Amino acid sequence: MTKIKQLQNYLKEHSIDAAFITDPYNVFYVSGFQSNPHERLLGVMVFAEAEPFLICPKMEMPDAKNAGWTGEVVGHEDTQNSMEILHNTAQSRGINLKTVAIEKAHMTVDRYDAILSLFSSPTIVQLDDQLNAMRVIKDAAELEILREAAALADYAIEVAAKTIKEGITEIEVMTEIELALKKRGVTHMSFDTTVLAGDKAASPHGKTGDRKLQNGDLVLFDLGVIHKGYCSDITRTLALGEPSDEQKAVYDIVLRAETAALEAVKPGVTAAELDQISRKVIADAGYGEYFTHRLGHGLGIDVHEFPSIHGENPMKMEKGMVFTLEPGIYVPGKVGVRIEDDVAVTADGYEVLTKYPKELQIIIN
Amino acid sequence: MTKIKQLQNYLKEHSIDAAFITDPYNVFYVSGFQSNPHERLLGVMVFAEAEPFLICPKMEMPDAKNAGWTGEVVGHEDTQNSMEILHNTAQSRGINLKTVAIEKAHMTVDRYDAILSLFSSPTIVQLDDQLNAMRVIKDAAELEILREAAALADYAIEVAAKTIKEGITEIEVMTEIELALKKRGVTHMSFDTTVLAGDKAASPHGKTGDRKLQNGDLVLFDLGVIHKGYCSDITRTLALGEPSDEQKAVYDIVLRAETAALEAVKPGVTAAELDQISRKVIADAGYGEYFTHRLGHGLGIDVHEFPSIHGENPMKMEKGMVFTLEPGIYVPGKVGVRIEDDVAVTADGYEVLTKYPKELQIIIN
């Protein structure tokens, strides 16, 4: 309940009577209970001056308790109005809720309307910044889990390197990777495993499909695992057969762009600076127009969280922040390369969590 | 663009100037473009009296066009304010937006606030009911896809029946099922494949784990595939080894409850009536307190959509509706049984999309 105490202190300091947290990731962060409630209500209500409670579908109540939540658990059934149950339970605390904090980037308009109407139009303030500020700094236990998650991503690329060959399809390669991970206990990927060959790698968000791998392809792998509730996210681009001079040149530019950003990581550098450092390498090489996305994103319970590493983000890096660095060059129809690491900020620099080699791996078979 | 035309007619009839659709499922439904934008903005803006546009991350613009969207595509980069780009593009249509429809059950409070501020506080109305009304009735093409999706779910249960044996873990069985599906081209499951053995099946939302299967277990499988953007969802409970009299008795009650509801499906019957018919069978047998969830849920692009089949939903069934019927009995620590079919309402009755046998299958090996 450490996170709950931190939140209670925040609420007291800011004269907020209560916070209602419904983003499943934040619910996990503050309660330890992981669940995907679909359209059903799952949330934790935290009060400045009273005991918190967790509200969830009735049938998940035992799971919430087993997950280590020691506070009150309130259940609701599908035939009930769950927002009314929320309101009644909150009322039972005997506190007049004049100011309520919510996650404005998560809460839907209908639940917002329900809170306004049930709680007699309290002042609504956002809790997003505070939750993000807490989640963006990983503690030692979280870092250890993230290291383990990254090691599993490395292993996935090792499997990929052993699996690719002329004639195998992107989907078949993906299946082999995920099967190998399942044998190591991985039950969920962070996002859809991406295997893109040749011209398909030139689409940064292309979908793994029936494209057969051919000698001469660069093959792009973007994948990650969820491990103990935390995500990894790695990209490597491997060469199947001897690469062309252009492929090697583009790869080299991306690698230099990634390395330049990496070596600049330390407390105090801004997200924007990191993005600019990496982008300059690519622009100077004449490929600026083909690097069409931000440099990276924070990583933790969510595969995309704060800090966002983009060219206009003035956020300063701090010890304990974890994010990806993933520059890429995508020349439509021709060549696509991306290299991505998971990086933690340390007291005086950085720790790279993903360890798979970044020199261009050429697979001949 | 048929769906867009339908929406434009709806907007005209209700004097709504524009609708902004951001639920990825609804974006797919109206545009054919399937994407998970994470925290980035993806949406379709439809006007009563002007051409619609699709807004997405810049790097996904080619994919949106390839997906068949023939209208304008507007891209945004990570460093830009995507809501401002939305506003500017809408302004370029030259229409004063006095009333704007949104999905209140999907749109987040921060985007809602942005719309209110950028568009000079238009009247906001909900579009959820109209989109749900469109999506709840499946046309012939959608039904054919749902049949194919259900056939793949049947196949998964066939694989499950061949795989279970004494000593194998729940996760190992899950892996075998998903591998077999991948070989048939399935890239995504509708939700996490659930394999629960013995006492674990007594938790209706338990998680597949390391529990080893033993002779004497009832083993519950709940799974489905996403096929061409549409979901299936099947539950079967198989017996590993000879079941006890209590297991057989509970199974028989659940099967009678499922069959009773199924045989009542036809246009005009209400969701509540179906739920009550099924629930009565279980209550009359003395297990009412152990059936802790609604009877079923609608099925389509989303694995949980309308109609919700619960005891207080007065919605009348209509031809083209597709939903699950999934009664269950969960006696904590003792026995868990659920049987679930995907069902389509026809002109005078029902079509069962899932075909795997429902008599208790006893696996002896």
Side-chain angles (χ1 to χ4, degrees):
Chain A
M1 304 283 272
T2 323
K3 311 294 189 207
I4 296 289
K5 291 240 156 56
Q6 274 182 267
L7 280 173
Q8 285 179 320
N9 290 338
Y10 174 85
L11 297 181
K12 283 177 204 165
E13 282 163 22
H14 293 78
S15 303
I16 301 167
D17 301 307
F20 186 47
I21 297 165
T22 59
D23 180 330
Y25 292 127
N26 288 333
V27 170
F28 171 55
Y29 184 70
V30 304
S31 76
F33 178 47
Q34 252 188 312
S35 173
N36 176 357
H38 300 285
E39 76 279 21
R40 297 184 177 109
L41 184 65
L42 167 72
V44 172
M45 198 148 200
V46 184
F47 300 86
E49 306 281 359
E51 288 303 304
F53 65 87
L54 185 151
I55 184 165
C56 66
K58 189 179 173 191
M59 61 185 167
E60 296 189 8
M61 292 172 71
D63 301 320
K65 286 171 185 166
N66 288 340
W69 173 257
T70 54
E72 185 183 2
V73 178
V74 180
H76 59 83
E77 296 188 73
D78 290 334
T79 51
Q80 296 178 307
N81 183 328
S82 54
M83 291 300 286
E84 277 180 15
I85 293 174
L86 172 81
H87 174 250
N88 294 342
T89 311
Q91 288 295 100
S92 74
R93 294 289 189 273
I95 296 166
N96 185 11
L97 300 186
K98 287 182 207 149
T99 304
V100 175
I102 62 168
E103 301 138 304
K104 285 196 175 184
H106 176 79
M107 184 171 282
T108 58
V109 175
D110 57 2
R111 285 189 182 153
Y112 176 71
D113 286 347
I115 286 176
L116 288 177
S117 114
L118 288 164
F119 289 94
S120 311
S121 297
T123 301
I124 302 287
V125 298
Q126 59 90 7
L127 190 66
D128 307 71
D129 290 350
Q130 170 61 13
L131 287 166
N132 292 336
M134 289 168 66
R135 278 179 52 183
V136 80
I137 306 296
K138 272 67 179 178
D139 64 24
E142 291 180 293
L143 280 171
E144 189 51 35
I145 294 173
L146 286 162
R147 279 185 203 103
E148 294 169 358
L152 288 163
D154 289 336
Y155 171 66
I157 303 293
E158 286 171 33
V159 173
K162 285 182 189 150
T163 303
I164 59 173
K165 60 184 178 189
E166 176 112 359
I168 195 170
T169 67
E170 295 166 343
I171 285 179
E172 286 168 346
V173 176
M174 176 188 80
T175 300
E176 290 298 324
I177 294 168
E178 294 193 350
L179 181 61
L181 290 171
K182 277 187 182 156
K183 286 182 179 162
R184 294 215 170 174
V186 172
T187 57
H188 295 90
M189 304 302 289
S190 310
F191 54 92
D192 296 343
T193 297
T194 299
V195 181
L196 298 171
D199 55 303
K200 283 190 67 191
S203 170
H205 272 210
K207 283 182 185 168
T208 308
D210 289 329
R211 166 77 153 77
K212 285 186 177 167
L213 275 56
Q214 296 161 11
N215 276 319
D217 281 342
L218 291 184
V219 190
L220 187 154
F221 299 87
D222 190 353
L223 57 86
V225 310
I226 304 179
H227 173 72
K228 299 179 184 172
Y230 285 76
C231 296
S232 57
D233 185 359
I234 192 172
T235 303
R236 287 293 186 272
T237 307
L238 309 179
L240 180 59
E242 201 56 49
S244 70
D245 288 347
E246 187 192 17
Q247 288 172 334
K248 282 192 277 191
V250 168
Y251 191 93
D252 181 60
I253 298 162
V254 175
L255 180 53
R256 285 191 291 116
E258 207 260 348
T259 306
L262 190 55
E263 291 176 349
V265 172
K266 63 179 178 183
V269 68
T270 68
E273 284 164 351
L274 294 177
D275 185 280
Q276 287 152 12
I277 287 166
S278 200
R279 202 169 297 278
K280 185 170 188 307
V281 174
I282 291 175
D284 287 351
Y287 285 88
E289 68 183 295
Y290 301 116
F291 177 18
T292 49
H293 56 76
R294 61 180 169 179
L295 180 62
H297 54 82
L299 196 66
I301 294 171
D302 196 351
V303 70
H304 285 179
E305 61 180 49
F306 288 93
S308 178
I309 312 295
H310 71 72
E312 304 192 0
N313 184 0
M315 182 185 268
K316 284 188 175 162
M317 298 300 103
E318 292 177 48
K319 182 180 175 224
M321 288 187 178
V322 174
F323 47 83
T324 70
L325 294 176
E326 48 177 309
I329 292 177
Y330 318 96
V331 186
K334 290 189 76 181
V335 59
V337 172
R338 185 165 62 249
I339 300 172
E340 174 185 32
D341 278 321
D342 301 343
V343 182
V345 185
T346 61
D348 55 0
Y350 61 91
E351 174 187 348
V352 188
L353 308 183
T354 39
K355 312 274 193 201
Y356 189 87
K358 286 186 283 193
E359 310 80 56
L360 180 57
Q361 303 291 304
I362 301 171
I363 312 296
I364 309 278
N365 51 31
Chain B
M1 307 281 274
T2 325
K3 311 294 189 207
I4 296 289
K5 291 239 158 55
Q6 273 182 268
L7 280 173
Q8 286 179 318
N9 290 338
Y10 174 84
L11 297 181
K12 284 176 204 167
E13 281 165 22
H14 292 78
S15 303
I16 301 167
D17 301 306
F20 186 47
I21 297 164
T22 58
D23 180 330
Y25 292 127
N26 287 333
V27 170
F28 171 56
Y29 183 71
V30 304
S31 76
F33 178 48
Q34 252 186 314
S35 174
N36 177 358
H38 299 284
E39 75 281 22
R40 297 184 177 108
L41 184 65
L42 167 73
V44 172
M45 196 146 201
V46 183
F47 301 87
E49 306 283 358
E51 289 302 305
F53 66 87
L54 185 149
I55 184 165
C56 66
K58 190 180 173 190
M59 62 184 167
E60 295 191 6
M61 291 173 71
D63 301 321
K65 287 171 184 165
N66 288 340
W69 173 257
T70 54
E72 185 183 3
V73 179
V74 179
H76 59 83
E77 297 188 75
D78 290 333
T79 52
Q80 297 178 307
N81 183 327
S82 55
M83 291 301 285
E84 277 180 15
I85 294 174
L86 173 81
H87 173 251
N88 295 342
T89 311
Q91 288 295 101
S92 74
R93 294 289 190 273
I95 295 166
N96 185 9
L97 300 186
K98 287 182 210 149
T99 304
V100 175
I102 62 167
E103 300 138 304
K104 287 198 174 184
H106 176 79
M107 183 171 282
T108 57
V109 174
D110 57 1
R111 286 190 180 150
Y112 175 71
D113 286 346
I115 286 178
L116 289 177
S117 115
L118 289 163
F119 289 93
S120 311
S121 296
T123 301
I124 301 288
V125 297
Q126 58 89 6
L127 189 67
D128 307 71
D129 290 351
Q130 170 62 11
L131 286 166
N132 291 335
M134 289 168 66
R135 279 179 52 183
V136 79
I137 305 294
K138 272 69 179 178
D139 63 24
E142 290 179 293
L143 280 171
E144 189 51 34
I145 294 172
L146 286 163
R147 279 185 203 105
E148 293 168 0
L152 286 163
D154 289 337
Y155 171 66
I157 304 292
E158 286 170 31
V159 173
K162 284 180 188 152
T163 304
I164 60 173
K165 60 186 177 189
E166 177 111 359
I168 194 170
T169 68
E170 294 165 343
I171 284 179
E172 286 168 346
V173 176
M174 177 188 77
T175 300
E176 290 296 325
I177 294 169
E178 294 193 351
L179 180 63
L181 289 171
K182 278 188 181 155
K183 287 184 178 162
R184 295 217 167 172
V186 172
T187 57
H188 295 90
M189 305 301 291
S190 312
F191 54 93
D192 295 344
T193 297
T194 299
V195 180
L196 298 171
D199 55 303
K200 283 191 65 189
S203 170
H205 272 210
K207 285 182 185 168
T208 307
D210 289 330
R211 166 73 153 79
K212 285 186 178 168
L213 275 57
Q214 295 161 10
N215 275 321
D217 281 342
L218 291 184
V219 189
L220 187 154
F221 299 88
D222 190 353
L223 57 87
V225 309
I226 304 180
H227 174 70
K228 300 177 183 172
Y230 285 77
C231 296
S232 57
D233 186 358
I234 192 171
T235 302
R236 289 293 186 270
T237 307
L238 310 179
L240 179 59
E242 200 57 49
S244 71
D245 287 346
E246 186 192 19
Q247 288 172 332
K248 282 194 276 191
V250 168
Y251 190 95
D252 180 61
I253 297 161
V254 175
L255 179 54
R256 285 192 290 116
E258 207 262 349
T259 307
L262 190 56
E263 291 176 349
V265 173
K266 61 179 180 184
V269 69
T270 68
E273 284 164 351
L274 294 177
D275 186 279
Q276 286 152 11
I277 286 165
S278 201
R279 203 167 297 277
K280 184 170 189 307
V281 173
I282 291 174
D284 286 353
Y287 286 88
E289 68 184 295
Y290 301 115
F291 176 19
T292 49
H293 57 77
R294 61 182 169 178
L295 180 60
H297 54 82
L299 195 66
I301 294 170
D302 196 351
V303 69
H304 283 179
E305 59 180 51
F306 288 92
S308 178
I309 312 295
H310 71 70
E312 302 192 3
N313 183 358
M315 181 184 270
K316 284 188 174 163
M317 298 300 105
E318 292 178 47
K319 183 180 175 227
M321 288 185 179
V322 174
F323 48 83
T324 70
L325 294 177
E326 49 178 307
I329 292 176
Y330 318 95
V331 186
K334 290 189 74 181
V335 60
V337 172
R338 183 165 67 249
I339 301 172
E340 174 184 33
D341 278 320
D342 301 343
V343 182
V345 184
T346 61
D348 55 0
Y350 62 92
E351 174 186 350
V352 188
L353 307 183
T354 38
K355 313 275 192 197
Y356 189 87
K358 287 186 284 193
E359 310 80 57
L360 180 57
Q361 304 290 304
I362 301 170
I363 312 296
I364 308 279
N365 49 33

